Amino acid sequence: MSAFRVFQRLVNSYLGLGALDGLSRYIYDGAYGLPQWQEISTFNYGYAPCDDTVAAVWPNEPHQIQLYAEVAKAVRASACRTEPPRLLDVCCGRGGGLAYLHATLSPEATIGVDRSLTALRHRPNGSAAIACLQGHALQLPFPDASIDLAVNVEALADVPKLPFLEEVCRVLAANGIFAVADTMPHSPEACHIGLIGLGQKTGLDVVHFRDITMNVCEACRNDDRRRSQLVSRLPRYLRPIAREWVSLPGTTRFGQFERKERCYFIAVMVKNTARLQL
């Protein structure tokens, strides 16, 4: 476990979730506001290999956008309708991934929510057709059953899972889809079973699960030079934290992926209205 994760757990244990939430907000606001990383539109571990079309349009961060491309593929494989009327990206950050989903899935309405105003104001790949709102993942600013497709990349591990999934389920329309990409410190089988259990408690059925740990590990290797350059731009006292955050080869998180001690997955869950009525 990284030093940052240990620190998070200590804060949570001794000061409570409120303090941990404030700490996380401060850290992410700081990361999103780094002037040395202005060209970055999304923060995630990435996926390899990259499609040629993704690399051509997003040459600065192809692996990160490719992860969203894989999420979009999972949605298309699982959905009866490939063009969702209302798309929501929960914890959208600077919006690069959301811009990709908007262009790829062609929804009638595209919305991003993030609690960081610093991230929302950045929007280097923003579009007038995309609405971005400030809001918390546990208190989404939408009415019940108002979203057809919700997406979340790398936030599930940082929020209380049951309340988060309950809130996602609340805003999803009947048979609405939730697509998530994230990592857990378990085997793929344990992650899959765990998600099924969480879904049964929150009204979401897991219809697709894919272990992509080795693809993420390959992306970290392939993207090592660019990420190392990004880290080198920062003040020296921030570099050890940044190295872990971007999962450079040799870091704790990269080693967990490489040794398969941690699973990275893409899952698609569908709202089960019949179960919710029981």
Side-chain angles (χ1 to χ4, degrees), residues 183-201:
T183 174
M184 289 185 185
H186 308 293
S187 69
E189 295 78 12
C191 284
H192 193 182
I193 293 170
L195 278 179
I196 291 173
L198 288 168
Q200 290 173 343
K201 295 177 182 178

Side-chain angles (χ1 to χ4, degrees), residues 72-118:
K73 292 175 186 177
V75 169
R76 283 175 162 167
S78 307
C80 296
R81 182 173 180 177
T82 58
E83 297 180 358
R86 297 159 295 184
L87 163 66
L88 169 66
D89 186 0
V90 185
C91 304
C92 65
R94 287 180 170 179
L98 180 59
Y100 174 85
L101 293 175
H102 175 75
T104 302
L105 297 178
S106 303
E108 295 172 10
T110 304
I111 309 165
V113 168
D114 201 279
R115 63 181 177 179
S116 171
L117 275 176
T118 303

Side-chain angles (χ1 to χ4, degrees), residues 8 20 45 124 135-136 138 149 165 198 236 258 261 276:
Q8 277 187 315
L20 180 59
Y45 291 120
H136 198 286
L138 303 183
L149 168 61
L165 292 177
L198 288 168
R236 290 187 180 276
E258 192 174 39
E261 297 171 354
L276 291 170

